[in-house]
Amino acid sequence: MRRFNRAALAAVTLSTGLSVLTAVPAQAQPYGAQRPLGLENCTATACHFDVPAGTYDVKVLLGGEAASSTSVTGETRRALLPETAAPAGEHIARSFTVNVRTPEGEPTGPAGTPGLDLVLGGSAPALADIRVTPARHARQIFLVGDSTVCDQPGDPYSGWGQQLPQYLRKGLSVANYADSGESTVTYLGNPQLWATVQPQIRPGDLVLIQLAHNDKTTDEATYRANLESLVAGVREKGGEPVLVTPIVRRWFNADGTLNNGTALLVNGLGVDHPAVIRSVAAAEDVPLIDLTAKTKALVESLGTEASKALYLYNEKRDNTHTSVYGATVYAGLVRDELAARHLVPEGLVRVG
């Protein structure tokens, strides 16, 4: 990879009013060319790289003459790099790995824009350089889940899986195949879902499975069998399954606790989804991320008022789906569990 030539690079900032860096089209440097794709594919606030589906390493050089603060999102509103400050006159290099696929968001949603699309955000964005190259040895974290996990297409919604990539470093990417409205029954039965995910799993990949919110009429035996089927399917491909209990619904009792079936995902048949997940994890010797317990403790500690910000109560009177803020906090809990359980190498987790 060509080194950054700082003397020749002009930082791209919102304050410059620059709309296009160069007239060179993306196809002038096709996928597979010797030179990495770079700034010629960017405007002041976004970059588009005409690449096929796959996994890519992205290296950015942030900063400029003035103090700056830059974040990067991509594809369907995925948080890829947290806001990063650079002092005036200094540059900071950061790298991440991103999954490019079609559809680019929810598996049953629209195809989206071909190629890789990145958006510069933050309070004072400044991009001095960027390099995009095919990732040669990246591991994937596949996400199997529902609307609380998925890449939500529009504000104010966000799934925790949509926010997870910002906590990971180069060499580890998130392939989010969570889809709104799915239960264990529908996820296994829809060819756009499990039948599409399983063939892509490679040895060493993680597959995080959080399905419960929509298993409202699934009996316990079927629910357990479906989880076991997903676990077996991951292992068949040499991947490592990780069972994740569902995030709680923000449904308080009068005493300020969440100790009720609505909050803790007990369905109309009396099936205690988190309890079944814990049982399957123990029986199958599968790593468990008890997100139900983690989110319950957090929501109760915040109380009825402060916890509203985690969900879409203020915007939609929605106590199930998370805001961008809530999804980011919950993704942080998942990140902490991945690190604490040594499910990913320490060097691939971004802690600050």
Side-chain angles (χ1 to χ4, degrees):
M1 181 179 293
R2 187 175 60 179
R3 291 185 178 181
F4 292 120
N5 184 348
R6 297 186 183 182
L9 296 175
V12 183
T13 66
L14 287 179
S15 61
T16 63
L18 184 64
S19 60
V20 179
L21 291 171
T22 176
V24 178
Q27 58 265 31
Q29 292 190 26
Y31 172 81
Q34 289 185 345
R35 192 162 61 133
L37 299 174
L39 272 179
E40 69 278 357
N41 297 274
C42 299
T43 69
T45 58
C47 301
H48 172 75
F49 301 93
D50 188 15
V51 296
T55 305
Y56 296 88
D57 291 332
V58 179
K59 185 174 183 179
V60 295
L61 191 67
L62 307 176
E65 293 182 2
S68 64
S69 188
T70 311
S71 63
V72 181
T73 59
E75 299 296 87
T76 302
R77 302 175 61 238
R78 295 182 223 157
L80 299 172
L81 188 69
E83 188 159 355
T84 303
E90 294 187 19
H91 293 105
I92 295 177
R94 292 288 185 269
S95 298
F96 55 88
T97 302
V98 59
N99 173 255
V100 177
R101 60 183 184 273
T102 302
E104 69 178 27
E106 295 181 86
T108 62
T113 305
L116 171 60
D117 288 282
L118 303 176
V119 177
L120 305 177
S123 59
L127 178 65
D129 197 18
I130 186 168
R131 293 290 181 267
V132 175
T133 55
R136 301 300 183 189
H137 305 290
R139 293 177 63 192
Q140 297 274 26
I141 297 180
F142 289 93
L143 301 183
V144 170
D146 52 36
S147 59
T148 66
V149 184
C150 75
D151 288 348
Q152 291 281 0
D155 284 327
Y157 294 88
S158 181
W160 61 256
Q162 200 164 18
Q163 302 300 322
L164 184 61
Q166 67 185 301
Y167 291 121
L168 307 175
R169 298 184 185 276
K170 175 185 172 183
L172 186 61
S173 70
V174 174
N176 191 349
Y177 282 85
D179 196 69
S180 293
E182 306 299 341
S183 65
T184 57
V185 176
T186 61
Y187 203 95
L188 283 166
N190 188 332
Q192 293 176 278
L193 300 173
W194 183 238
T196 297
V197 174
Q198 193 201 18
Q200 300 182 62
I201 300 170
R202 298 290 181 265
D205 289 340
L206 290 181
V207 183
L208 274 57
I209 302 165
Q210 187 216 278
L211 287 166
H213 279 85
N214 300 301
D215 280 279
K216 299 173 183 177
T217 60
T218 309
D219 63 80
E220 183 169 340
T222 301
Y223 185 65
R224 179 181 294 271
N226 288 343
L227 293 176
E228 292 170 345
S229 180
L230 289 166
V231 167
V234 174
R235 286 175 166 167
E236 179 184 327
K237 294 295 183 178
E240 181 170 7
V242 179
L243 290 175
V244 183
T245 59
I247 67 170
V248 295
R249 293 190 178 99
R250 185 189 161 278
W251 198 268
F252 282 93
N253 297 324
D255 63 359
T257 68
L258 300 178
N259 296 320
N260 59 78
T262 299
L264 300 181
L265 282 298
V266 178
N267 74 9
L269 301 178
V271 180
D272 185 332
H273 293 105
V276 175
I277 295 169
R278 295 177 189 119
S279 175
V280 172
E284 299 292 326
D285 193 25
V286 175
L288 174 73
I289 294 178
D290 199 340
L291 205 50
T292 304
K294 294 286 184 182
T295 55
K296 177 179 184 291
L298 177 59
V299 172
E300 287 182 340
S301 70
L302 290 173
T304 57
E305 288 303 314
S307 64
K308 290 177 179 177
L310 295 171
Y311 292 82
L312 294 173
Y313 179 86
N314 294 322
E315 299 86 350
K316 303 285 186 179
R317 294 297 187 268
D318 185 335
N319 291 306
T320 297
H321 298 97
T322 47
S323 62
V324 171
Y325 168 70
T328 303
V329 172
Y330 287 177
L333 297 177
V334 174
R335 180 271 315 271
D336 292 345
E337 287 294 290
L338 291 173
R341 297 176 181 278
H342 305 291
L343 293 170
V344 297
E346 183 178 349
L348 296 184
V349 177
R350 197 183 304 278
V351 295

